[in-house]
Amino acid sequence: MTALRGGTEVRHYPEVVTRRTNLTLLTALAAAFVSGVLSLWVGEGRAWLVTWAHGAAGFWVVLLIRWKLPIVRRGLARRPDAGGSVVTGVVAVGMLVTGIAHTLGVHDVGPVTMLGLHLALALVLAPLVLWHVVTHPQRPRRGDLTRAGFLRVAGVAVAAVAVKGVFEGTVGSSRAATGSLRQAEPAPTSWVDDSTPEVNASEWDGRLAGLPSRSMTCALDCTSGWYSVNRWTGVLLADVLGPLPAGTRSVIVRSHTGYSRRLDAGEVAGLLLATQMDGRPLAPDHGAPARLVAPGRRGFWWVKWVSSVEPSSLPSWWQLPFPI
């Protein structure tokens, strides 16, 4: 469909194509956002499927750009003051670029990891997309919910899965099931704005004296996009706590920073309160004098600078999924 404006021919997409493209793109973005959040939450052993689905949802968004671009050009021609929409588009492109760069093996961009920047852009994009949906509502109509319409959407989704498979088989970097890139040792990171506290180096000496030393080799997988496999030495949390009181359902591990995580009482036997890494005493920025080692859990569960370990009658889910 075309029209003349100022002597220039302008091509218009049919309204039905615009609506269906926008609705499909919104579905793809929602799938990418939900799977991205879940990929940070699930344990390492179950993360591969969610992470793979997240990547496929990202390529679904990329494939839809071919239909979205004419709609964007049309919108800018009609509303040259659409600054908010431009910002949303720029953030979305940045999110896609950083996500693909991470899968290609790019670790860092300046002082942050590439995946960390990807996550930050995703958090910025979410409210921008919500604002865009509110100000540019696209309501499904009965004609959109046809067999042909479903097959069109499913066809693009299947194509995205195929592209994801080809990408991983050709140029995708070697990564953990969670999508993290390997490095030699943990980065000195902490949750959000925590900083390394001043802690007495001998704080745990008396409490751990006489308890058997144990070692385990496992991966610390950080949600900022890296993992490292190291040998951790310390004391089992079960030995630190001793017999749990009747009615104990979880154990709270607290940090000197105020950070804490609540873990199920049934996991205590597999948790370690580490004082050494790779045969050396922990450095202050790695959690000295003691940090939690939680095999199979993502890095934000590995509480650093542990100040106390306490049994609790509350269930382990009685906490925010991601601490703030």
Side-chain angles (χ1 to χ4, degrees):
M1 179 180 179
T2 60
L4 290 177
R5 178 177 296 162
T8 302
E9 185 181 83
V10 179
R11 183 174 297 274
H12 292 286
Y13 256 32
E15 186 271 340
V16 65
V17 175
T18 297
R19 186 179 66 255
R20 290 174 178 174
T21 298
N22 288 337
L23 290 171
T24 305
L25 182 58
L26 180 61
T27 301
L29 286 170
F33 184 81
V34 171
S35 59
V37 171
L38 287 176
S39 71
L40 302 177
W41 173 253
V42 297
E44 296 169 18
R46 296 173 294 174
W48 71 270
L49 181 59
V50 180
T51 303
W52 214 93
H54 177 67
F59 281 111
W60 191 9
V61 174
V62 171
L63 291 179
L64 288 170
I65 292 176
R66 175 249 184 270
W67 288 276
K68 182 63 176 178
L69 279 177
I71 299 171
V72 172
R73 287 196 294 265
R74 174 189 173 189
L76 292 177
R78 296 174 61 183
R79 298 177 62 248
D81 60 337
S85 298
V86 172
V87 170
T88 301
V90 169
V91 174
V93 170
M95 183 192 67
L96 291 172
V97 169
T98 52
I100 292 174
H102 172 77
T103 61
L104 290 172
V106 181
H107 280 261
D108 305 312
V109 52
V112 299
T113 63
M114 185 62 72
L115 186 62
L117 181 56
H118 175 72
L119 293 173
L121 289 171
L123 291 175
V124 172
L125 181 63
L128 289 174
V129 170
L130 182 60
W131 168 83
H132 190 77
V133 169
V134 171
T135 56
H136 301 77
Q138 300 287 314
R139 298 180 178 85
R141 297 182 181 177
R142 185 180 299 274
D144 298 332
L145 305 178
T146 62
R147 180 174 179 272
F150 172 79
L151 290 176
R152 282 193 296 268
V153 173
V156 180
V158 170
V161 172
V163 171
K164 167 70 172 173
V166 172
F167 180 91
E168 294 295 350
T170 54
V171 297
S173 64
S174 176
R175 305 187 302 284
T178 59
S180 296
L181 300 167
R182 185 165 185 171
Q183 57 188 41
E185 63 178 39
T189 56
S190 56
W191 184 253
V192 189
D193 61 347
D194 284 350
S195 57
T196 303
E198 293 186 8
V199 183
N200 184 348
S202 61
E203 177 185 27
W204 282 92
D205 289 353
R207 285 183 272 184
L208 302 184
L211 297 177
S213 177
R214 303 294 179 90
S215 294
M216 60 176 64
T217 299
C218 56
L220 168 53
D221 194 322
C222 182
T223 51
S224 60
W226 56 263
Y227 79 99
S228 68
V229 179
N230 304 92
R231 184 169 178 266
W232 303 91
T233 302
V235 175
L236 290 177
L237 211 62
D239 291 336
V240 176
L241 289 167
L244 296 175
T248 298
R249 300 177 66 186
S250 65
V251 171
I252 306 173
V253 182
R254 302 187 190 276
S255 169
H256 278 281
T257 64
Y259 182 85
S260 66
R261 284 278 82 189
R262 184 186 298 272
L263 297 106
D264 190 87
E267 296 182 54
V268 170
L271 302 175
L272 185 77
L273 190 64
T275 57
Q276 297 182 29
M277 182 183 72
D278 293 335
R280 303 184 304 273
L282 285 177
D285 55 5
H286 285 310
R291 76 172 299 164
L292 182 68
V293 172
R297 285 188 175 270
R298 303 301 296 276
F300 67 89
W301 292 93
W302 293 46
V303 180
K304 299 167 74 172
W305 311 294
V306 174
S307 61
S308 66
V309 182
E310 307 165 7
S312 171
S313 60
L314 294 174
S316 59
W317 51 261
W318 192 260
Q319 61 187 332
L320 293 174
F322 296 102
I324 57 174

